[in-house]
């Protein structure tokens, strides 16, 4: 049994939905299909909610446009004997949406709970429509079985309850293909509609696949698979035919937007392979992700990058005590809900640096200054400093340490072409070498690193 997830670009138009129908209807046995909202709709739902909360009356035209877009798909693809029922369902949902927007325009406010409710309508409509487009398919409302709980003021999956409800609502063996929406959920305590955040549809599919013991999780998107780099920056980047779970997690964590990073964890622990496929080019073999790749390449697996990164550095004699500086810095970040991208080695040996999202930089500075206030006063910590407008380049391959001197070779390449290398993380990870450069040099640096890794030639 397979679980297939189709993203917004896969369900965004009549033509792409025809591809989805061909893919699913050609399966030899029923599957579980998880769908996102129509391409671009979630952003529009959010923008309209904000406009309504500011008193703009354009929300009425926006809702009419949402209804029209869904109706055009229904008219084009849903069989005539099901069209009336699915049209009525979608009309009911858009009517509810209009009422919510009207309320927002009156109170001139947009509570977080209401925004979660608003964005749920995309998946609620798309999943109903897709279930009626397919042959031998039934709809399952993900609001009935995906549950969340609060963690650092974020909604995360309540795994034990969610697993139990998945088994209850999606019984095996499947009598028909089950279509459900991803992304949306309910709080396990209050019953309020919540969501799993950006990429949550991928995660929903992984939760279902893991609980049901699927043979394969297929993520259908608009690219042919994982590539050695972003093809918009590196035109000669190529598809990676196979890779390990760990390699895919690292590439995703450092900016490869093929799948949502947490997607990998549930299926990784159940050893369920993932295949990345292109809805618009279904004959392409894609990328297969397993517990261990078929072959370890002579060089790296791929290169990715994260822009809008900051580096916070602690300098002074205390940094010689590696265990203390690491423990206290990490704990300070954890207490404030700040995620660390990596620990970096800057040019100065008497410094300890961490890279993190630029949006967290101010909070991280405050946390570290508070943590090391006694040492700042007595001098064993000289200063806590911040550098922004940085990019992290990540070079990924399992057992990357086996490629002797790779980190030094890449740094030398960048410096030879005038790139100001701010810091390097080489040796701390078995899978990744990370190099921090200025945002202004990000594109050129990515090209140089990719060329050095995959062709042995440096390109400016």
């Amino acid at each position: 049994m397979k679980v297939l997830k189709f993203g917004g670009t896969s369900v965004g138009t009549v033509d792409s939905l025809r591809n989805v129908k061909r893919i699913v209807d050609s399966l030899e046995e029923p599957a579980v299909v998880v769908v996102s909202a129509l391409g671009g709709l979630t952003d529009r739902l959010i923008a309209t909610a904000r406009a309504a909360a500011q008193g703009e009356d354009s929300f009425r035209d926006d809702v009419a446009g949402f209804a029209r877009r869904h109706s055009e798909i229904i008219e084009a693809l849903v069989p005539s004997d099901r069209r009336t029922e699915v049209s009525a369902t979608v009309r009911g949902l858009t009517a509810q949406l209009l009422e919510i927007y009207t309320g927002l325009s009156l109170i001139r406010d947009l509570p977080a709970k209401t925004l979660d409710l608003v964005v749920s309508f995309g998946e609620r409509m798309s999943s109903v429509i897709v279930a009626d487009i397919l042959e031998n398919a039934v709809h399952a409302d993900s609001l009935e079985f995906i549950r969340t709980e609060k963690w650092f003021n974020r909604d995360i999956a309540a795994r034990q309850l969610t697993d139990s409800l998945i088994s209850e609502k999606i019984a095996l063996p499947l009598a028909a293909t089950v279509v459900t929406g991803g992304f949306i959920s309910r709080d396990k305590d209050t019953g309020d509609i919540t969501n799993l955040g950006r990429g949550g549809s991928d995660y929903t599919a992984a939760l279902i696949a893991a609980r049901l013991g699927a043979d394969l999780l297929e993520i259908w998107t608009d690219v042919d698979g994982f590539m050695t780099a972003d093809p918009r920056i590196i035109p000669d980047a190529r598809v990676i035919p196979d890779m390990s779970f760990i390699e895919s997690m690292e590439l995703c964590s450092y900016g490869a937007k093929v799948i949502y990073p947490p997607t990998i964890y549930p299926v990784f622990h159940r050893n369920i392979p993932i295949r990345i496929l292109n809805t618009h080019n279904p004959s392409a073999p894609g990328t297969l992700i397993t517990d261990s790749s078929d072959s370890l390449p002579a060089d790296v697996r791929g290169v990715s990058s994260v822009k809008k990164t900051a580096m916070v550095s602690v300098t002074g004699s205390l940094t010689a005590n590696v265990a203390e500086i690491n423990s206290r810095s990490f704990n300070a970040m954890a207490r404030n809900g700040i995620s660390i991208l990596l620990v970096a080695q800057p040019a100065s040996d008497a410094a300890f640096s961490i890279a993190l999202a630029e949006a967290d930089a101010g909070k991280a500075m405050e946390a570290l200054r508070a943590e090391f206030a006694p040492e700042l006063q007595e001098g064993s910590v000289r200063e806590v400093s911040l550098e922004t407008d940085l990019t992290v380049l990540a070079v990924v391959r399992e057992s990357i340490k086996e490629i002797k001197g790779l980190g030094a070779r890449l740094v030398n390449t960048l410096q030879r072409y005038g790139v100001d290398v701010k810091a390097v993380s080489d040796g701390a990870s078995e899978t990744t070498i990370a190099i921090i450069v200025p945002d202004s040099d990000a594109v050129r640096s990515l090209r140089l690193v990719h060329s050095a890794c995959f062709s042995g030639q440096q390109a400016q």
Side-chain angles (χ1 to χ4, degrees), residues 168-192:
E168 180 183 319
K169 300 296 182 180
I170 306 177
L172 296 177
L174 299 176
T177 288
V178 176
V179 180
T180 189
F183 178 69
I184 55 176
S185 47
R186 286 191 187 275
D187 183 273
K188 72 181 181 68
D189 297 316
T190 67
D192 292 336

Side-chain angles (χ1 to χ4, degrees), residues 104-123:
L104 293 175
S105 71
L106 293 174
I107 65 172
R108 301 294 177 92
D109 190 23
L110 181 54
K113 185 165 68 173
T114 305
L115 185 58
D116 285 346
L117 173 60
V118 165
V119 297
S120 73
F121 282 86
E123 272 78 4

Side-chain angles (χ1 to χ4, degrees), residues 403-437:
I403 309 175
K404 301 297 183 184
L406 177 61
R409 174 160 59 94
L410 295 177
V411 169
N412 289 339
T413 296
L414 292 172
Q415 291 176 335
R416 189 163 65 251
Y417 282 88
V419 176
D420 181 14
V421 176
K422 298 292 184 180
V424 181
S425 180
D426 180 11
S429 168
E430 294 288 339
T431 312
T432 303
I433 294 172
I435 303 171
I436 301 177
V437 300

Side-chain angles (χ1 to χ4, degrees), residues 283-317:
S283 62
T287 298
L288 181 65
I289 304 169
T290 59
D291 61 339
S292 60
S293 58
D294 290 342
S295 57
L296 200 59
D299 236 318
V300 306
R301 188 73 72 176
V303 180
S304 56
S305 63
V306 183
K307 297 194 73 173
K308 295 185 179 178
T309 299
M311 186 167 67
V312 180
S313 299
V314 179
T315 56
S317 60

Side-chain angles (χ1 to χ4, degrees), residues 246-269:
I246 293 172
E247 288 169 335
S248 64
M249 283 190 276
E250 288 291 284
L251 283 171
C252 289
S253 296
Y254 286 103
K257 300 186 186 305
V258 180
I259 55 177
Y260 179 53
T263 300
I264 300 160
Y265 296 107
V267 293
F268 169 64
H269 290 298

